Amino acid sequence: MPDPNVVIRNLLVDNWDVSATSITSAPVCHTGWYDRDGDMPCLTVTNTDEGPYQSGATGFTGLDGQTGKGMQRLSGYALVNCVAGTRDDCQGLTSGGGDINPKKLRNELYEQASQILLDESPPEFYTLGPGDARDLVDTDEGPAVFRTEVRAMWLRDRTPTQ
């Protein structure tokens, strides 16, 4: 199984619809945290958390049909940050070079990312979808950075190799 963060990043990049937002190009998308000095707007995928789903004391959720060995259904999530950036980052991003309010842009990024997570299910996951989200304003190191953080939640199977 490839890194779930990379699977989700690739899913977002491959399915991004520029026409679904007010900006003229797709945001930069990468794994790891955003950098205030990096490209904005951006999407980041990070902080994976995963474990056996309703597995009881053994950690196994069933038997693999091909090998007869124990398998696990894993429940997990990664944080997808939809980062509009600062007010300065949002200048000149619309068609015709107009400015966009960073609160509006973070919502558009969040809505598009959530739609992709809902519509597209890569073969690496049994299920994938958007979960809880929260709007955040980071002011600790300079001008306010506006972002929405959403959990990309999945189920996947870990099966024996032989």
Side-chain angles (χ1 to χ4, degrees):
M1 165 73 184
D3 180 347
N5 290 336
V6 173
V7 172
I8 293 169
R9 183 210 54 210
N10 291 345
L11 187 73
L12 292 168
V13 168
D14 293 345
N15 294 283
W16 194 263
D17 178 5
V18 176
S19 69
T21 65
S22 300
I23 57 178
T24 57
S25 60
V28 173
C29 189
H30 58 85
T31 59
W33 286 104
Y34 78 91
D35 180 353
R36 278 183 166 272
D37 297 326
D39 293 326
M40 301 281 181
C42 69
L43 300 175
T44 68
V45 185
T46 190
N47 277 32
T48 300
D49 188 0
E50 182 178 68
Y53 176 72
Q54 298 180 348
S55 60
T58 65
F60 293 104
T61 51
L63 296 177
D64 179 58
Q66 293 187 357
T67 65
K69 295 180 180 179
M71 62 168 276
Q72 293 178 312
R73 175 142 302 159
L74 302 174
S75 171
Y77 71 87
L79 300 179
V80 176
N81 282 274
C82 305
V83 187
T86 66
R87 291 193 184 279
D88 287 346
D89 292 324
C90 292
Q91 292 181 353
L93 295 181
T94 64
S95 61
D99 301 343
I100 185 168
N101 183 307
K103 293 175 187 175
K104 178 181 180 192
L105 180 56
R106 77 174 172 191
N107 186 65
E108 290 180 359
L109 297 174
Y110 159 69
E111 288 295 337
Q112 174 67 1
S114 294
Q115 196 64 50
I116 292 168
L117 295 172
L118 185 64
D119 289 346
E120 304 296 330
S121 190
E124 293 87 353
F125 297 123
Y126 184 69
T127 62
L128 175 67
D132 296 344
R134 62 186 180 146
D135 290 340
L136 299 163
V137 180
D138 300 330
T139 58
D140 54 341
E141 295 180 20
V145 173
F146 296 86
R147 65 186 170 103
T148 296
E149 182 179 83
V150 60
R151 287 180 186 227
M153 301 174 63
W154 66 79
L155 290 175
R156 72 178 182 97
D157 290 337
R158 180 183 291 149
T159 57
T161 56
Q162 300 190 38

